[in-house]
Amino acid sequence: MSSIYTFSPKITSVSFSWPKTLTGIERVALSAQGDLQRVLSAFFARPIVVALIYSHTFTRRSDGTLVPLALPNSPVIASASRESPIVQNRQVHLQCGGKVVCTATSTVKILSPECAHLFLEEKYAIGQLFSKLEITPSFELLGVGVGGHDDVPSVEKGFGRGPQLWRKYRLAGPDIECEILEVFASRDMFVRGQAWLDEQRNDEVTARAHFYGLTYKFRRPSANGLLWFGLLSLLSFELFMYFFVGRSRCTYA
C-alpha cells in the first residue's frame, strides 16, 4: 500500500497529484490519516460530533457471500477473525455547531473480537477506534476531486453551497480495514471557517421563519422590549376585565 507521506532522517514530504485549485488548508484536510475530526475541530475551534445516518452489518462466509447480521450478537462478535470477518457499510455526518461539514460513507472490515466489541458494542467511530487502540493506521489516498464523480452522491438540498470537495482513501490497522468516501459540505467553509458556520445557522433560522409564514428575523429581546411587552400584556388584561367581566382589577371599591 503506497503512502502520500514519506520521510527521511531530515526530510518530511506529503506528495499527491492535487487539483491545482486547492488551497493549503484543503490539502491539510484531505491528507488527514484517520484524524480528520481532530483537524476540523482545530480549524473551527469547536467540537466535531459524529452522527450515524445508517449502518448495515454482515458476516462473510467462506465462499465470500455476505449474510446480514442482527445486533447485538455477542457470539459472532467474539468469533470475528480474518477467516470470519464482520463487514459494515455505514454513513455518518461530521457535524460542527449543529451543521453538517462532511458526509463519510464507509465499508469497514473487522478482523478481531476486540475491534468488533469496540466498534459494534461500544459504538466507537472509526477515528476514535484507532485512537482507543493507540494505532497509527496505514493510509492510502485513492482520489481527490472538486465537483462530480461517479461514486460521489449528488448534493442534497441544503447540504452546502458551491462546488464540493471529496476524497476516497483506505485506512488499515492490524485488525481493521476501511475504505472511505468523504464529501465536504462546501469549499467556502475552508475559507471562512467559524463565520461560515454562523452564516449557515442564520440561514437555517431564516428559512424556518419563512416556512412558518414569518418574514422577520429572530433577535434576542432587549430590556426595553421586555418592558414594553409586559406593559402591553397588562393593558390587554385590564381591557379584557373591563369589557368582559365588568370591572378593572385596578378599580378599588
Side-chain angles (χ1 to χ4, degrees):
M1 182 179 291
S2 61
S3 174
I4 66 171
Y5 167 65
T6 58
F7 67 93
S8 67
K10 295 183 179 180
I11 299 173
T12 296
S13 176
V14 175
S15 179
F16 190 74
S17 299
W18 305 108
K20 293 182 179 180
T21 60
L22 294 188
T23 64
I25 187 61
E26 288 175 332
R27 289 192 295 271
V28 169
L30 293 169
S31 60
Q33 303 185 33
D35 59 350
L36 177 64
Q37 296 169 52
R38 180 187 63 80
V39 171
L40 292 177
S41 180
F43 176 69
F44 286 117
R46 299 181 188 179
I48 301 296
V49 178
V50 179
L52 180 66
I53 305 305
Y54 67 76
S55 63
H56 306 296
T57 309
F58 306 87
T59 56
R60 177 168 289 173
R61 292 175 173 171
S62 57
D63 61 1
T65 59
L66 295 178
V67 179
L69 175 65
L71 298 173
N73 195 321
S74 297
V76 173
I77 288 174
S79 63
S81 65
R82 289 192 172 273
E83 293 72 29
S84 301
I86 298 174
V87 178
Q88 186 177 91
N89 298 325
R90 61 194 268 118
Q91 185 177 94
V92 301
H93 283 170
L94 304 187
Q95 299 176 344
C96 186
K99 306 305 299 181
V100 177
V101 296
C102 180
T103 293
T105 306
S106 314
T107 297
V108 183
K109 186 187 296 184
I110 306 164
L111 309 171
S112 75
E114 181 183 12
C115 281
H117 169 70
L118 293 172
F119 189 65
L120 299 174
E121 294 183 324
E122 295 199 22
K123 307 298 184 181
Y124 276 80
I126 294 172
Q128 284 85 344
L129 178 61
F130 285 115
S131 297
K132 176 68 175 178
L133 295 173
E134 299 182 342
I135 293 173
T136 300
S138 60
F139 173 78
E140 182 183 9
L141 188 59
L142 302 175
V144 169
V146 178
H149 185 279
D150 291 342
D151 296 329
V152 178
S154 59
V155 179
E156 296 180 6
K157 184 177 180 181
F159 182 67
R161 294 178 174 177
Q164 291 177 293
L165 191 63
W166 60 266
R167 70 168 179 165
K168 291 185 69 176
Y169 62 100
R170 292 193 184 104
L171 292 175
D175 298 318
I176 184 171
E177 299 173 359
C178 313
E179 185 164 315
I180 304 170
L181 166 68
E182 290 171 345
V183 183
F184 295 90
S186 171
R187 295 189 69 188
D188 192 38
M189 77 181 192
F190 292 110
V191 177
R192 305 183 62 234
Q194 293 184 14
W196 179 84
L197 286 178
D198 295 335
E199 180 185 72
Q200 296 296 301
R201 185 182 300 109
N202 292 336
D203 287 348
E204 181 177 317
V205 170
T206 301
R208 288 179 179 177
H210 284 295
F211 177 79
Y212 288 106
L214 305 175
T215 56
Y216 60 88
K217 293 183 178 179
F218 292 104
R219 295 181 180 176
R220 181 177 295 177
S222 64
N224 288 336
L226 291 174
L227 177 61
W228 278 108
F229 178 78
L231 290 174
L232 289 173
S233 299
L234 179 61
L235 178 60
S236 298
F237 179 75
E238 289 296 328
L239 290 172
F240 173 82
M241 294 295 294
Y242 181 82
F243 287 105
F244 294 96
V245 181
R247 60 177 296 183
S248 170
R249 290 177 59 87
C250 294
T251 302
Y252 297 93

